[in-house]
Amino acid sequence: NAGVTQTPKFQVLKTGQSMTLQCAQDMNHEYMSWYRQDPGMGLRLIHYSVGAGITDQGEVPNGYNVSRSTTEDFPLRLLSAAPSQTSVYFCASKTGKGNQPQHFGDGTRLSIL
Amino acid sequence: SQQGEEDPQALSIQEGENATMNCSYKTSINNLQWYRQNSGRGLVHLILIRSNEREKHSGRLRVTLDTSKKSSSLLITASRAADTASYFCATTPSTFNFGNEKLTFGTGTRLTIIP
């Protein structure tokens, strides 16, 4: 049981490039989310999904797109990378039941030059 | 904006001592959760306490919740070197429904256990 898998683990981009961060979970969880973690700021919610075909914005959605075509996958797309998007990105999932914890991947460390 | 603020930001103690971290939050909650993050890794869930609970235990962990003060504390007893990590509190809003499962994290406490 792999849990939540994120790829790649590290990535360096140039300003203006686009890329997709992959996230997959094998626990059949309905709820998935993306966070970014910056020094001294904790984790901030970017986008989330309550099920296939349903997505919504979190606290810091600008510059990012998501889609949820299957229960297992929740990719995060950077449309035109900016240095301000240099961060560590975490994907998480949880069951649809209330009062349950989120399960996190190990993160993608992204640098924008 | 951050919902939670942890205090202290950093804590160093000798192995075997107890470690206490505090979390304050701003709005009404459905539950409060504590997570641990080892360096370079993702977050691992430690314990969840519901808004109608005041105290919860799990192994060497003890969590308290005071909704009147909008605060929580995490106590780790008999600390070990392996407890060295960052600890985050996170809250789920009281307007809870499945479409509103948005966790809001605090800024974390960096705990160092000195062998």
Side-chain angles (χ1 to χ4, degrees), chain A residues 30-31 35 37 40-45 48 50 57-59 90 94-102 104-107 109, chain B residues 1-2 30-31 33 35 37 39-45 48-50 88 96 98-108:
Chain A
E30 294 92 335
Y31 185 88
Y35 297 86
Q37 184 177 33
M41 299 197 69
L43 278 75
R44 291 182 293 168
L45 182 65
Y48 66 100
V50 299
Q57 297 181 350
E59 181 184 354
F90 290 98
K94 71 177 292 295
T95 176
K97 296 177 182 178
N99 291 307
Q100 295 297 315
Q102 295 203 17
F104 284 81
D106 280 339
R109 284 144 187 83
Chain B
S1 62
Q2 297 296 129
N30 181 69
N31 66 58
Q33 303 174 37
Y35 288 82
Q37 184 181 33
S39 181
R41 301 300 300 274
L43 279 72
V44 174
H45 179 260
L48 181 152
I49 186 166
R50 303 183 186 195
F88 294 88
F96 168 80
F98 181 54
N100 194 25
E101 287 260 31
K102 291 182 282 188
L103 273 182
T104 303
F105 282 84
T107 51

Side-chain angles (χ1 to χ4, degrees), chain A residues 15-87:
Chain A
T15 297
Q17 288 185 317
S18 62
M19 81 159 293
T20 299
L21 280 62
Q22 301 291 344
C23 175
Q25 53 93 7
D26 61 0
M27 297 173 282
N28 201 33
H29 284 169
E30 294 92 335
Y31 185 88
M32 297 185 73
S33 53
W34 276 101
Y35 297 86
R36 60 178 289 173
Q37 184 177 33
D38 301 298
M41 299 197 69
L43 278 75
R44 291 182 293 168
L45 182 65
I46 304 172
H47 285 286
Y48 66 100
S49 168
V50 299
I54 306 169
T55 64
D56 206 347
Q57 297 181 350
E59 181 184 354
V60 287
N62 292 341
Y64 307 95
N65 273 357
V66 292
S67 60
R68 185 94 179 271
S69 57
T70 67
T71 299
E72 294 78 20
D73 300 300
F74 191 42
L76 178 71
R77 298 182 185 84
L78 278 70
L79 308 174
S80 177
S84 61
Q85 294 178 305
T86 292
S87 188

